[in-house]
Amino acid sequence: MSQEDGLKKVISHAKEYGFVFPSSEIYDGLSAAYDYGQLGSELKNNIKNYWWTAMVRMNDNIVGIDASIFMHPKTWKASGHVDAFNDPLIDNKDSNKRYRADVLIEDHIAKIDKKIDKDVSKGLNRFGDDFNEVEFRATNVNVLRRQTTIDEINGKFKDAMNAEDLAGVKTLIEDLGIVCPVSGSKNWTDVRQFNLMFSTELGAVSGDSGVIYLRPETAQGIFVNFLNVQKSGRMKLPFGIAQIGKAFRNEIIARQFIFRMREFEQMEMQFFVKPGTQGEWYEFWKEERKKWHSTLGLGDENYKFHDHIKLAHYADAACDIEFNFPMGFKELEGIHSRTDFDLKSHEEFSGKKLRFFDPETKESFVPYVVETSIGLDRMFLAVLCNSYREEDLGEGNSRTVLSIPFALAPVKVAILPLVKKDGLPEKAREVLSKLRLNHNCQYDEKDGIGRRYRRQDAIGTPLCITIDHDSLNDDAVTVRERDGMTQERVAISDIPAYVESRVGMATLF
Ligand code: ATP
């Protein structure tokens, strides 16, 4: 299955089973906006819960907040978003299609990268077992020539962006001979900067004074509350403030399903530390976040750390955790050492001191910040794509299964009376009543047991509990496990503890 086909299958499966729907679909949808359905919202809640438990509950020195989406407009002046939260855009005059100039250049580079990969696989074919890829990449003339071209393009683009030379970016696109994928022409407009913040007006006030923004990140709600939380919670450095919430960006091109949306959710944590210790804490959080991902079992080989070459104006170190999505390795989470930029800037714009008083040294100072920032929707997509499988079971049988990590699965247990009579439904409902307070369960009595298993496989339910005629006598049930399709008999009295031990959030800790 090609990577694109893989994503297409996941998208249609997500719609068919109630995970994700296009927003306002009866009006043909709204680009880059999606709704989470009955199972999607369960999965999303479980991911949030895993993150919140790991970050807030399991750490003495991290607390969580829920700040509002609307903030005083000066917030976004102070954070730099009004002046610098831009993407360079360019239009093709023949197709009237709009592109991000940086993405056109990145795509061009990706094509050269693919050629390098081809050189490497040719080398592998030629030299077989004796092939040394590292040495080949470092010495092969074709690879070196292509790599030099990539470095030159990157250098020119970085220089033009740093100098705010948008004409230079256009010249680069023209010099590289980049054509519009739709019209095939090189008939480009000038490159313009486009601010990604959505704005609206507050109440009845119109004009510039009433303009407010939908927050493009949740982090600023944490910075402006730094002192409120520190004082009311009597927090001592180092300490963290975590938050899960919506963010909005008027992305120029929003493709690839829920990977890039205009309204999305972030899970962010700002960790306030003593100046000078940010390097250690940056490494600490890189390691912690790696563990969080690794515990889920999506496969360590599907994650890559990618250090930022060009740091944002506020950062002294930054990296992305990339995930192997169907469209390749792409950013899932960012870890940034943001220095004291944000708090200092808010001090300046608000005129309020945002400092920590150290009772030991009797000094007061602006703390440094290390941030972890993960997109909830991207994490959802990572889980969904990673778990989608079409399995051949032999003898003409197959199944589609979502092998979602047990503790995250939207439905944890399906309760299935073997037949719809003989007192089995009543017995099944007894079992259901023991579980439903702690776990999301589904009761299903329609169709044969095989079809019911397949339905549960397709939505990723880890455990199916079947109540048969023997259950009426021995007070035991058959538990079938999703991945291995193994079955075991468990006493009904043991079922709550059994289920908890297999699918409870505690299994991740
Ligand atoms: P990208 O380079 O993909 O645009 P970014 O570097 O701008 O992302 P950050 O500002 O670091 O992203 O935001 C933190 C996280 O929020 C990202 O790692 C990503 O998971 C998520 N995120 C950012 N933009 C979007 C979006 N448009 N849709 C969904 N998730 C997003």
Side-chain angles (χ1 to χ4, degrees), residues 100 249 251 258-262 264 266 268 331-334 336 373-375 377-378:
R100 259 173 68 176
R249 296 183 187 178
E251 301 279 1
I258 55 173
F259 180 82
R260 188 176 299 286
M261 295 194 284
R262 299 203 167 96
F264 58 99
Q266 291 183 314
E268 296 198 298
E331 175 176 345
L332 168 62
E333 171 159 7
H336 312 124
S373 171
I374 175 167
D377 312 271
R378 284 192 192 175

Side-chain angles (χ1 to χ4, degrees), residues 259 308 320-323 325 329-334 378:
F259 180 82
H308 287 198
D320 296 335
I321 300 178
E322 295 184 339
F323 186 77
F325 290 100
F329 275 93
K330 299 264 180 212
E331 175 176 345
L332 168 62
E333 171 159 7
R378 284 192 192 175

Side-chain angles (χ1 to χ4, degrees), residues 276-284 316 337 370:
T277 65
Q278 70 273 19
E280 291 156 45
W281 286 112
Y282 175 68
E283 292 305 325
F284 174 85
D316 68 3
S337 174
V370 175

Side-chain angles (χ1 to χ4, degrees), residues 115-176:
K115 285 187 187 154
I116 294 183
D117 288 343
K118 268 197 185 154
D119 293 335
V120 172
S121 54
K122 269 191 209 156
L124 177 64
N125 283 341
R126 217 167 94 209
F127 298 112
D129 287 348
D130 293 336
F131 184 64
N132 179 336
E133 185 175 331
V134 177
E135 194 186 317
F136 185 83
R137 283 181 183 271
T139 52
N140 179 273
V141 276
N142 284 338
V143 172
L144 290 178
R145 181 174 39 80
R146 297 193 211 281
Q147 192 55 51
T148 309
T149 311
I150 291 178
D151 295 343
E152 276 171 14
I153 299 172
N154 270 330
K156 281 184 187 164
F157 178 62
K158 197 174 142 191
D159 290 347
M161 288 305 286
N162 284 342
E164 293 178 22
D165 174 15
L166 297 180
V169 176
K170 182 181 179 187
T171 308
L172 181 59
I173 288 174
E174 285 169 343
D175 289 351
L176 294 173

